[in-house]
Amino acid sequence: MNAQKHPSLIPEWSLWPSRVVFVLTLIWVSQQMLTDNPVAMSALFWDKFLHAGAWGFMVGLGYIAYQRSSGWFWFVLSILTYSIALEVLQPIVANRFFSFGDILANSLGCLIAGVCCKPTDSWLSRTLQKT
């Protein structure tokens, strides 16, 4: 059976503003990862949660900004690779340290958001079309 394609709930006019928000957020997250004075975090668990949340949020913003583009898998993989590159650069650029735990948290955030964006958008479209 052929899967029926559902239109997105995201309006066409929102693509360019959402791309600006995506780029600005990417710049801010990058700056936070490469500065020796990031926003203060008190607990290790909270730090990992913020890593996963930040990169999951980036993927979600990317879905809104670029969802009509082909290559969603490659987009998510690019964001994941970028997050790992920033983590590797931390000891070189800032007075910070490399952490495999941060890479794992970044990866989980990217992958969970990457897997959830399209099905959630489809489900919302179907649900709201019924009403």
Side-chain angles (χ1 to χ4, degrees), residues 18 34 38-39 63 68-69 78 90 92 98 104 106 109 113-115 120-121:
S18 63
L34 295 176
V39 173
Y63 179 77
R68 286 176 181 81
S69 302
S78 297
Q90 279 184 347
I92 299 166
F98 172 82
L104 179 61
N106 296 352
V115 167
T120 301
D121 189 30

Side-chain angles (χ1 to χ4, degrees), residues 13-74:
W13 62 263
S14 72
L15 288 180
W16 283 108
S18 63
R19 289 175 182 166
V20 170
V21 170
F22 172 78
V23 169
L24 292 175
T25 305
L26 185 63
I27 290 168
W28 184 79
V29 169
S30 301
Q31 182 272 336
Q32 286 297 297
M33 287 189 70
L34 295 176
T35 185
D36 58 355
N37 192 17
V39 173
M41 295 170 274
S42 58
L44 180 63
F45 172 77
W46 185 243
D47 175 56
K48 302 310 177 219
F49 180 76
L50 287 176
H51 274 268
W55 290 104
F57 185 69
M58 287 306 310
V59 169
L61 279 177
Y63 179 77
I64 292 168
Y66 298 102
Q67 57 121 347
R68 286 176 181 81
S69 302
S70 60
W72 176 242
F73 171 80
W74 295 110

